[in-house]
Amino acid sequence: MEEIKNYIGGELLAPVSGKLLDNYDPAVGKVYSKIPDSDANDVELAVSAATRAFPGWAAMPVDRRSAVLQRIADLVDRDHEKLARAESIDNGKPLKLARSVDIPRASANMRFYATGAIHVSSEAHLTGTEAVNYTLRNPVGVAGCISPWNLPLYLFTWKIAPALAAGCTVVAKPSELTPMTAYMFSKLC
């Protein structure tokens, strides 16, 4: 039985508590994997790792960040069938739907934000004759992202891709009901 781990600081780690939860295949009502029962200690480890990684990721030239996100999308495409099968088992949805919507959309999310990041513009607004207000788009730090159960990888990437593309680091929490493709995605990363 597969044991899902937390992806923290580039490593797959068991939860600090050592506690695991059952992950059920809803189509048959049976446990098919174990997932971390993460607590505040795991969150603190993740936030600390993301905080340490932030300066380097934020300073990375946008074209390199874009290339990283494109590479992740390539890996999602490469593992399309494995991810679709996992999504189907974890969520109980038809395999055809996972193949045609969920996984292609996850890859498309990564690509959309990867390319959008290299086409950012700033805005300037005159405030009478006294000043010009302008907008800069700079990374702000660690983003916390929580995704729901119904479109697991699709909505997971919809949350994390824009933050990563903007130069932020991310602490992401997939639904405990459908964590498998987020775990597989972390292994791709």
Side-chain angles (χ1 to χ4, degrees):
M1 182 170 301
E2 185 158 13
E3 186 177 304
I4 292 176
K5 297 186 184 226
N6 292 322
Y7 184 69
I8 299 175
E11 297 181 60
L12 293 168
L13 304 173
V16 173
S17 69
K19 295 179 184 174
L20 300 171
L21 301 170
D22 292 336
N23 187 23
Y24 289 87
D25 174 345
V28 294
K30 294 189 178 176
V31 174
Y32 83 100
S33 69
K34 298 286 189 175
I35 63 174
D37 187 6
S38 299
D39 61 19
N41 295 312
D42 298 293
V43 173
E44 179 55 39
L45 282 175
V47 170
S48 293
T51 301
R52 285 190 308 276
F54 174 71
W57 183 251
M60 182 183 290
V62 70
D63 60 325
R64 286 195 49 220
R65 277 199 317 264
S66 176
V68 169
L69 298 182
Q70 290 281 16
R71 177 67 178 134
I72 293 169
D74 290 343
L75 294 172
V76 169
D77 290 343
R78 181 198 71 191
D79 290 356
H80 178 270
E81 186 62 22
K82 284 194 286 190
L83 289 163
R85 287 187 182 282
E87 197 87 320
S88 176
I89 293 167
D90 215 21
N91 191 276
K93 68 175 55 185
L95 181 56
K96 180 179 180 178
L97 185 61
R99 282 180 179 144
S100 64
V101 175
D102 297 45
I103 307 311
R105 196 59 227 158
S107 173
N109 287 340
M110 299 304 292
R111 290 189 197 288
F112 177 85
Y113 288 104
T115 57
I118 58 177
H119 301 289
V120 173
S121 63
S122 292
E123 299 172 13
H125 304 278
L126 294 174
T127 57
T129 58
E130 302 85 36
V132 175
N133 291 331
Y134 58 92
T135 302
L136 297 177
R137 288 167 174 52
N138 295 319
V140 295
V142 177
C145 299
I146 301 171
S147 61
W149 64 270
N150 54 329
L151 295 160
L153 189 58
Y154 173 3
L155 295 179
F156 191 74
T157 58
W158 199 7
K159 302 239 181 203
I160 66 172
L164 292 171
C168 298
T169 51
V170 174
V171 174
K173 185 224 173 271
S175 170
E176 67 280 5
L177 300 176
T178 53
M180 186 57 76
T181 51
Y183 172 64
M184 293 170 73
F185 182 85
S186 76
K187 290 165 75 172
L188 297 178
C189 292

